[in-house]
Amino acid sequence: MDRKNWYAVGGGLLTGTANGLFGGGGGMIAVPYLERVAKYPTASAHATAIAVVLPATLVSAVVYLFFGLVPFFVFLPVSLGVLLGGFLGAKLLGKLEPKYTAIAFSVFMLIAGVRMLL
């Protein structure tokens, strides 16, 4: 395996670990990695991050459900909202200029980071 593939495995390991440990957030690692290290265009980096985070999210969800960490009465309505929001976000990604997508993602990361600190 060449060096670029090893970097991809390392980036995937960090992404999956963050996603599993924090219940999300893998995209905040995957998107900058895909843009800066793998040199993907912004829209492709966001779409690829979703595609690679999905399997990690599914595995984590099964583990959380198996250990009873997810109240089912919360799971259903939140899942519905996430599905609808994911569909809307995917449609918007194709319509927004990459510059604005990058700005929105950066602002979202900043707000999430500040909220975690407070």
Side-chain angles (χ1 to χ4, degrees):
M1 197 158 51
D2 68 7
R3 180 179 235 157
K4 188 172 182 175
N5 286 334
W6 282 112
Y7 285 139
V9 170
L13 182 63
L14 287 172
T15 299
T17 301
N19 207 63
L21 182 62
F22 303 126
M28 291 190 178
I29 293 170
V31 170
Y33 174 84
L34 290 169
E35 287 178 334
R36 290 178 182 86
V37 176
K39 305 296 184 198
Y40 277 74
T42 299
S44 293
H46 286 267
T48 302
I50 291 296
V52 300
V53 168
L54 176 63
T57 300
L58 292 174
V59 168
S60 298
V62 168
V63 171
Y64 293 153
L65 287 167
F66 180 78
F67 285 107
L69 297 171
V70 179
F72 200 71
F73 68 91
V74 174
F75 174 76
L76 287 177
V78 171
S79 294
L80 178 61
V82 168
L83 289 172
L84 293 172
F87 178 79
L88 177 64
K91 290 294 221 180
L92 286 173
L93 180 62
K95 297 180 186 317
L96 295 174
E97 287 186 39
K99 173 183 169 182
Y100 297 120
T101 303
I103 290 170
F105 184 69
S106 299
V107 168
F108 179 76
M109 286 190 349
L110 180 64
I111 290 169
V114 168
R115 292 207 55 196
M116 292 294 292
L117 289 173
L118 301 178

